[in-house]
Amino acid sequence: MADESFPEELADALVGVQRLIRRRLRREMPDPRLRSAEVELLRLVAERPGIGISDAAKELYLAGNSVSTLVNQLARQGYLVRETDPADRRAARLLPTPAAEARLSEWRRRRADLVRNRLSRLDEADRETLLAAVPALRRLADTLREEDERP
């Protein structure tokens, strides 16, 4: 790689874009305001209904007690349901409620609208460059995920 600063600049740009999107969406979403960790847990549970707390903690790189706290908060707000795991009566399985599904759908719609609007302000060459970069960014994410999953 010719430019030694490229990895740091890329990471800074990705984090900066994510932070700004998250901040903007947080301001625009209806109450109750959800923290990033709560949204990430809801997204995970919606993608993998029935996931257990320990698996969610591993997936989100959080301590189990932190995820339990998030689950309790989201359950009180009507976004998650905890069911007993029939295979292990001590374990809970997490399910999204219709309110969670609606909230996530609204969040996705607003996020897409926000990014679409900002992309339209860029010139065609920048939009094409970003479009071409998406597969490489997904592969980068896959390599990061693979390294985390190795024993």
Side-chain angles (χ1 to χ4, degrees):
M1 190 168 295
D3 189 350
E4 289 293 321
S5 65
F6 174 67
E8 186 173 354
E9 288 180 27
L10 176 62
D12 286 346
L14 293 172
V15 168
V17 167
Q18 178 64 20
R19 182 184 312 116
L20 291 167
I21 289 172
R22 192 172 42 236
R23 183 179 301 151
R24 181 72 180 274
L25 289 175
R26 193 178 300 132
R27 274 196 324 248
E28 294 178 1
M29 287 297 291
D31 286 334
R33 281 202 165 157
L34 298 179
R35 296 181 326 218
S36 300
E38 291 170 320
V39 172
E40 290 304 311
L41 178 57
L42 279 181
R43 289 178 67 197
L44 177 62
V45 172
E47 289 169 13
R48 295 177 44 196
I51 190 171
I53 290 175
S54 63
D55 287 339
K58 267 190 252 176
E59 186 76 23
L60 297 172
Y61 303 100
L62 295 172
N65 62 341
S66 296
V67 172
S68 290
T69 299
L70 293 172
V71 167
N72 290 335
Q73 292 166 344
L74 291 168
R76 273 194 305 276
Q77 294 174 0
Y79 292 122
L80 285 182
V81 172
R82 235 178 284 151
E83 288 186 351
T84 303
D85 184 345
D88 179 358
R89 310 251 344 126
R90 299 167 296 166
R93 296 288 164 221
L94 305 174
L95 299 167
T97 65
E101 297 283 1
R103 175 114 185 181
L104 287 170
S105 178
E106 180 67 9
W107 177 83
R108 284 184 197 101
R109 185 191 64 75
R110 288 179 189 230
R111 182 180 65 171
D113 287 349
L114 171 64
V115 173
R116 185 178 302 108
N117 179 279
R118 293 315 182 265
L119 284 171
S120 72
R121 295 177 183 187
L122 299 178
D123 64 30
E124 185 66 26
D126 282 345
R127 287 193 303 271
E128 287 177 12
T129 299
L130 290 169
L131 178 62
V134 170
L137 290 169
R138 286 196 175 123
R139 286 189 298 275
L140 176 60
D142 288 343
T143 64
L144 291 166
R145 190 175 301 110
E146 287 168 5
E147 288 176 11
D148 282 340
E149 292 173 357
R150 288 188 194 138

